């Protein structure tokens, strides 16, 4: 399929989007914050070279990755370039995505994070050391049922994050989007360092509890 | 059996990509071999994914998708340098060697590999800022317990310790310090300018 031709046509609901499975066709217009519906299926389609699926992922995730990079302190122009680069990495690395290991959002997050880190220090991100671990290699494609379980797990985690008490969510957010030392995070929130630590610990307890049945 | 792990705060910062390069190398050295911390890291990354899904979108340039589709078949840009690169090792004392890691340092932080022979007691010291230690070989003991292969030590400015190498092999650690050490005894203070740590 010619990417340029595709760009000039409406994408949503294209019957040619063969990879969109049992959960129906995804509308490109959707931008609910529930993750992209069936993002995992789209990434697997991208792994098979489906440009229409890539266009849907791009439309949904590039603007969110851009926001993430802006919050990490990238300039507007750099955030745009890195968001481009992140989604191109999604195209190149789609074959490594394993929906049982990570949600589409988590997988794309790690790609964006590594680019952000790399851009910051111009060196190889540490997380690549983990990717070399043989036990981290992708497993065979998941059965549909297991995939639905994974999608439910991802949804539960999103809900658990949203349900965090405001003080815990603030600590989680600051931990993710500022590279300030924890002592400065504590100062910013006007609480002792020990409180920052205990809030983060409590947040993780809640997030784990939200996933209890999936362990 | 690993008994000392990084704090959840440290693992979250590691997963979030907000640790400095030197600090993340030491955390990575531990996490690679520790199923528990890999699980915590994966959990933190999943949380990052959920936060990303909840991000308000920022509009991309009008031709962003078109550009991406045009670039899609180009080969990937060649990767950056691989892994951690070490400089030349320096002799510190009989059997004691320090090998600096090459990092883009923030402030006065340092990353180095330290080889210390069995039975050796290091000078008592505290730190300016945090210190992360991953034990790569052998073991040492200090006031907070025994650290064996795979263990991770996390100290801050309020900790004052004197590690002693135990067992019958030399102890090798990957160490990151946020700021200089403060030696607590006269010999250590005398040697410090020369130690360079």
């Amino acid at each position: 399929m010619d990417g340029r031709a595709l760009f000039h046509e409406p994408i949503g609901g294209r019957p040619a989007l063969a990879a969109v499975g049992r959960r129906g066709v995804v509308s490109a217009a959707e931008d609910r914050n529930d993750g992209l519906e069936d993002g995992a299926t789209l990434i697997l389609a991208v792994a098979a070279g489906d440009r229409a699926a890539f266009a849907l992922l791009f439309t949904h995730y590039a603007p969110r990755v851009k926001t993430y990079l802006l919050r990490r302190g990238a300039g507007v122009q750099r955030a745009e370039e890195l968001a481009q680069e992140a989604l191109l990495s999604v195209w190149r690395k789609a074959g490594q995505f394993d929906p049982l290991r990570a949600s589409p959002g988590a997988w794309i997050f790690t790609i964006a994070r590594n680019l952000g880190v790399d851009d910051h220090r111009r060196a190889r991100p540490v997380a690549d050391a983990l990717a070399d671990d043989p036990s981290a290699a992708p497993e065979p494609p998941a059965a549909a049922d297991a995939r639905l379980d994974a999608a439910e797990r991802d949804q539960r985690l999103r809900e658990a994050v949203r349900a965090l008490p405001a003080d815990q969510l603030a600590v989680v957010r600051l931990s993710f989007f500022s590279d300030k030392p924890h002592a400065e995070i504590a100062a910013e929130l006007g609480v002792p360092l020990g409180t920052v630590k205990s809030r983060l610990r409590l947040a993780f307890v809640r997030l784990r509890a939200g996933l209890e049945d999936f362990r | 059996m690993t008994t000392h792990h990084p704090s959840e705060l440290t693992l979250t910062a590691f997963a979030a990509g907000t640790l400095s390069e030197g600090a993340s190398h030491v955390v990575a050295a531990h996490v690679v071999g520790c199923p528990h911390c890999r699980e915590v890291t994966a959990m933190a990354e999943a949380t990052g994914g959920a936060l990303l899904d909840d991000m308000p979108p920022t509009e991309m340039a009008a031709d962003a998708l078109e550009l991406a589709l045009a670039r899609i078949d180009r080969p990937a840009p060649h990767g950056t340098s691989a892994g951690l690169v070490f400089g030349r090792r320096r002799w510190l004392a009989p059997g004691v060697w320090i090998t600096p890691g090459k990092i883009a340092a923030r402030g006065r932080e340092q990353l180095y590999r330290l080889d210390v022979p069995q039975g050796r007691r290091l000078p008592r010291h505290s730190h300016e800022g945090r210190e992360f230690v991953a034990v790569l070989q052998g073991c040492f003991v200090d006031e907070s317990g025994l650290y064996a292969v795979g263990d991770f030590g996390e100290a801050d400015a309020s900790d004052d310790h004197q590690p002693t190498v135990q067992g019958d092999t030399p102890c090798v650690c990957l160490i990151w310090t946020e700021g200089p050490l403060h030696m607590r005894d006269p010999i250590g203070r005398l040697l410090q300018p020369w130690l360079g740590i």
Side-chain angles (χ1 to χ4, degrees), chain A residues 76-93:
Chain A
V76 175
Q77 186 54 36
R78 199 67 193 125
E80 169 92 17
E81 289 163 8
L82 289 173
Q84 272 271 354
E85 199 48 55
L87 271 292
L88 284 170
S89 292
V90 166
W91 172 266
R92 293 188 200 109
K93 295 181 176 176

Side-chain angles (χ1 to χ4, degrees), chain A residues 51 66-67 84 113 135 158 215, chain B residues 15 39 53 56 58 64 73:
Chain A
R51 285 166 192 251
K66 188 174 177 183
T67 308
Q84 272 271 354
R113 171 200 67 191
S135 64
R158 260 194 299 276
R215 308 254 125 210
Chain B
E39 194 267 333
D53 284 334
T58 302
D73 289 322

Side-chain angles (χ1 to χ4, degrees), chain B residues 80-118:
Chain B
T80 43
S81 63
L84 173 56
V85 178
F86 285 97
R88 280 181 64 142
R89 77 175 189 167
R90 285 189 292 131
W91 184 86
L92 284 188
V96 183
W97 296 88
I98 183 169
T99 316
K102 294 186 172 170
I103 52 167
R106 286 185 199 167
R108 302 171 78 189
E109 68 175 328
Q110 293 201 58
L111 175 73
Y112 51 90
R113 172 187 150 135
L114 192 66
D115 290 54
V116 183
Q118 48 271 50

Side-chain angles (χ1 to χ4, degrees), chain B residues 65-150:
Chain B
L65 176 58
E66 196 170 11
L67 269 175
L69 287 168
R71 290 170 65 199
I72 217 165
D73 289 322
R74 291 190 202 162
H78 52 272
T80 43
S81 63
L84 173 56
V85 178
F86 285 97
R88 280 181 64 142
R89 77 175 189 167
R90 285 189 292 131
W91 184 86
L92 284 188
V96 183
W97 296 88
I98 183 169
T99 316
K102 294 186 172 170
I103 52 167
R106 286 185 199 167
R108 302 171 78 189
E109 68 175 328
Q110 293 201 58
L111 175 73
Y112 51 90
R113 172 187 150 135
L114 192 66
D115 290 54
V116 183
Q118 48 271 50
R120 179 66 50 89
R121 181 183 296 263
L122 294 178
R124 172 167 292 281
H125 64 271
S126 63
H127 321 93
E128 213 171 279
R130 291 167 294 164
E131 177 190 63
F132 292 172
V133 176
V135 184
L136 307 178
Q137 181 195 308
C139 61
F140 73 86
V141 64
D142 74 2
E143 289 77 352
S144 58
L146 176 74
Y147 291 80
V149 174

Side-chain angles (χ1 to χ4, degrees), chain A residues 3-4 7-8 11 33 35 51 54-55 58-59 61-68 70-72 80 83-85 88 91-92 105-106 108-110 113 117-118 121 123-124 126 129-130 133 135 157-158 161-162 172-173 175-179 182 196-197 200-201 204 207-208 211 215, chain B residues 8-10 12-21 24-25 28 31-32 36 38-41 43-77 80-83 104 106 130 156 178:
Chain A
R4 192 164 290 267
F7 183 73
H8 294 293
I11 298 161
N33 285 335
R51 285 166 192 251
F54 176 74
F58 189 98
T59 306
Y61 275 110
R64 289 175 169 78
V65 168
K66 188 174 177 183
T67 308
Y68 162 68
L70 287 169
R71 289 192 187 176
R72 276 194 64 124
E80 169 92 17
Q84 272 271 354
E85 199 48 55
L88 284 170
W91 172 266
R92 293 188 200 109
I108 294 172
F109 167 76
T110 59
R113 171 200 67 191
V117 164
D118 220 15
R121 66 169 84 128
R124 192 184 181 83
V126 288
L130 299 180
D133 191 296
S135 64
L157 181 65
R158 260 194 299 276
V161 169
R162 282 181 204 152
V172 170
R173 283 230 170 91
S175 305
F176 272 88
F177 306 125
S178 91
D179 56 3
H182 299 119
V196 169
K197 291 183 182 175
L200 193 68
R201 200 167 301 124
F204 273 102
L207 297 182
R208 281 210 188 86
L211 294 176
R215 308 254 125 210
Chain B
E8 235 150 26
L9 214 56
T10 296
T12 305
F14 174 65
T18 58
L19 287 180
S20 73
E21 183 186 358
S24 15
H25 278 302
V31 170
V32 160
H36 166 77
R38 281 168 56 166
E39 194 267 333
V40 176
T41 303
M43 179 81 188
E45 287 176 348
T47 305
L51 292 172
L52 181 67
D53 284 334
D54 269 354
M55 286 280 161
T58 302
E59 208 175 337
M60 294 285 287
D63 59 352
L65 176 58
E66 196 170 11
L67 269 175
L69 287 168
R71 290 170 65 199
I72 217 165
D73 289 322
R74 291 190 202 162
T80 43
S81 63
R106 286 185 199 167
R130 291 167 294 164
D156 63 31
E178 199 166 21

